[in-house]
């Protein structure tokens, strides 16, 4: 089955810096790659997703890139703010099948 | 719009006790899921239901059973709770079409002593 690895497990940046979180997946048939943000004590919520027919997607300060050949995808956050502090999860799935999540990255943005 | 609702929010069980976690969604979604979240382990799938009347095992099904009662409701049962089942449990739902967002409930924090 699908296996998703996520790095780093923790990431500390200064406010205004950029943050990059990377994930690799094992199943070349996976075609949907969402990113979820989970604030402390809250439920995970989708922040951006990308499908396998697209190489990059942007939404304001957030972007996701996908390299199907290398089977990895990354989340980029520019101009980080303290409210970006949270745990971020990547995930992968194919077709109708279940999402498989990475182990999460705790992002800390210091003022 | 309630989305995905889980009950209870907190629960403490003694080893060997049983309980059922309830989940209901009002978005007319076909697929529903149960995940557990442990520190450093991410979200691991316990069971899922692709559509009403079907259920399948996920990554960590041992010690759990599920029931898809109808399209809205998907319950998770612990028959004989063990300390290793101490975790935060999330229910989620999605439309079931390819490549669509999963919506999560607020979670149930379960402690087994």
């Amino acid at each position: 089955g699908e296996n998703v690895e996520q790095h780093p497990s923790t990431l500390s940046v200064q406010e205004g810096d950029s943050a990059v979180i990377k994930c690799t997946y094992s199943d070349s048939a996976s075609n949907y790659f969402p990113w979820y943000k989970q604030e402390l004590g809250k439920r995970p919520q989708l922040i951006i997703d990308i499908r396998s027919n697209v190489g990059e997607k942007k939404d304001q300060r957030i972007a996701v890139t996908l390299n199907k050949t290398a089977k990895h995808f990354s989340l980029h956050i520019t101009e980080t703010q303290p409210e970006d502090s949270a745990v971020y999860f990547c995930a992968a799935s194919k077709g109708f099948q279940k999402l498989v999540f990475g182990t999460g990255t705790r992002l800390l943005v210091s003022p | 719009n309630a989305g995905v609702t889980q009950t209870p929010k907190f629960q403490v069980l003694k080893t060997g006790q049983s309980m059922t976690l309830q989940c209901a969604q009002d978005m007319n979604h076909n697929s529903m899921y149960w995940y557990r979240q442990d520190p450093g382990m991410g979200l691991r799938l316990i069971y899922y239901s692709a559509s009403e009347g079907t259920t399948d095992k996920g990554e960590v099904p041992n010690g759990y059973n599920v029931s898809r009662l109808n399209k809205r409701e998907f319950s998770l049962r612990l028959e004989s709770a063990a300390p290793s089942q101490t975790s935060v449990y999330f229910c989620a739902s999605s439309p079931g079409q390819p490549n669509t967002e999963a919506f999560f409930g607020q979670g149930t924090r379960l402690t087994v002593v």
Side-chain angles (χ1 to χ4, degrees), chain B residues 2-3 5 9 21-22 27 34-35 37 40 43-44 59 71 73 77 81 84 89 93 102 105 111:
Chain B
T5 302
K9 293 184 179 179
L21 280 64
Q22 306 287 352
M27 295 175 282
W34 277 105
Y35 288 90
Q37 183 175 30
L43 291 154
R44 293 184 294 170
E59 303 168 72
K71 192 171 185 178
E73 299 173 289
R77 183 162 178 82
S84 60
Y89 291 84
S93 72
T111 302

Side-chain angles (χ1 to χ4, degrees), chain B residues 54-67:
Chain B
T54 67
T55 60
D56 286 286
K57 295 178 180 180
E59 303 168 72
V60 288
N62 291 343
Y64 305 95
N65 285 300
V66 291
S67 295

